[in-house]
Amino acid sequence: MAQFAVIGLGRFGSACALELMKMGHSVLGVDTNPKLVNKYADQLNRAVIADVTDRQALEELGLDNYDVVLVAIGADIESSLVCVVHLKSFGVPTIWAKAISHTQHLILAKIGVNRIIHPEEEMGIRVAQMLSYPMVNDYITLGNGDYIVEVTASDNMNGQTIRDILREQLTDVQVLLVKRRGQTTIQPGPDFSLHAKDLLILFGQLQALRTAAPKLV
Ligand code: ADP
């Protein structure tokens, strides 16, 4: 279990904070807006009303003890930057920050934020990729063109083996696991017989997956 602090409980910050809680982490939420702090007080480990541009108020939160501090302030660029400068001076080990403009990104990068997130652009790209491959339930990009994708086997896959379906892609696409009604088979061999609605996790280069994934649905 890691300790996270989320500064700014707007739409982005609150969604991150609640998801981290669901994953079993400890989360502190901070915002100037008492309505937001009260709204999430019961759902987070700790929720505090504070102006994070106020160095002393921020210092009192003891954020240097947290694994990661996420600065989820976008619109108020000055607050976002001043907060990060303070966090740096307290020696917070890892800072992630949301940016909504190029200028904000440039300055955050200069101050030395560990990761800068552009929620709208990043989500836009993800949605476009999902729209182009509607058969893919979800995916992870591993870099260098490698992907892990999740697909659901369609009804016509019933009884067919992995070899029958992947054919030429058998060497390029690896089936990492198959999930069937709560039962997981790790690295099923080419003779593994599929059922309709099986969940398959595939690994491979984008080009090979592009050919293989549509055959499964
Ligand atoms: P979103 O689009 O995710 O809602 P915003 O940038 O609009 O993101 O919201 C950021 C949140 O950060 C708001 O709830 C705002 O009250 C909070 N915030 C802005 N400035 C400060 C500050 N100086 N101290 C603490 N919280 C702040």
Side-chain angles (χ1 to χ4, degrees):
M1 185 181 83
Q3 278 214 314
F4 293 99
V6 177
I7 294 177
L9 294 172
R11 287 163 304 165
F12 173 74
S14 61
C16 283
L18 295 177
E19 192 62 25
L20 287 167
M21 288 296 296
K22 261 198 221 161
M23 292 171 160
H25 300 293
S26 160
V27 182
L28 158 70
V30 184
D31 205 296
T32 35
N33 183 340
K35 271 197 194 143
L36 286 176
V37 172
N38 287 335
K39 181 172 172 192
Y40 297 111
D42 294 343
Q43 297 170 70
L44 305 177
N45 294 84
R46 205 174 143 212
V48 176
I49 304 168
D51 179 350
V52 295
T53 59
D54 175 346
R55 194 173 196 283
Q56 201 187 333
L58 194 60
E59 193 164 17
E60 281 167 10
L61 297 173
L63 295 172
D64 47 334
N65 291 319
Y66 284 72
D67 297 292
V68 182
V69 176
L70 169 65
V71 181
I73 304 174
D76 186 347
I77 295 180
E78 195 176 315
S79 284
S80 140
L81 299 177
V82 172
C83 173
V84 171
V85 169
H86 290 329
L87 294 174
K88 277 280 182 193
S89 73
F90 302 148
V92 170
T94 309
I95 305 169
W96 287 30
K98 159 179 152 169
I100 56 160
S101 73
H102 187 57
T103 317
Q104 191 178 12
H105 182 117
L106 276 180
I107 304 172
L108 286 170
K110 203 83 187 156
I111 312 173
V113 164
N114 302 81
R115 173 131 186 220
I116 303 168
I117 303 136
H118 292 265
E120 265 141 35
E121 280 91 336
E122 287 177 24
M123 200 59 209
I125 293 167
R126 222 178 148 75
V127 169
Q129 290 180 338
M130 295 238 199
L131 282 170
S132 342
Y133 303 108
M135 74 294 288
V136 170
N137 302 336
D138 207 354
Y139 70 92
I140 305 172
T141 318
L142 300 176
N144 297 327
D146 284 331
Y147 281 79
I148 289 179
V149 301
E150 182 196 284
V151 290
T152 308
S154 71
D155 292 349
N156 11 344
M157 293 302 107
N158 217 349
Q160 298 213 53
T161 64
I162 287 174
R163 190 199 311 277
D164 292 338
I165 297 158
L166 291 184
R167 294 167 188 254
E168 311 83 70
Q169 274 80 48
L170 196 57
T171 44
D172 299 335
V173 170
Q174 289 179 45
V175 182
L176 300 181
L177 65 88
V178 174
K179 211 167 171 187
R180 179 178 299 159
R181 276 181 264 108
Q183 221 187 359
T184 305
T185 307
I186 294 166
Q187 293 192 308
D191 297 320
F192 185 89
S193 179
L194 294 173
H195 285 188
K197 308 271 181 316
D198 279 353
L199 267 181
L200 285 90
I201 309 290
L202 312 175
F203 165 77
Q205 281 272 306
L206 181 61
Q207 204 50 48
L209 290 167
R210 261 188 190 147
T211 320
K215 293 182 183 175
L216 290 153
V217 294

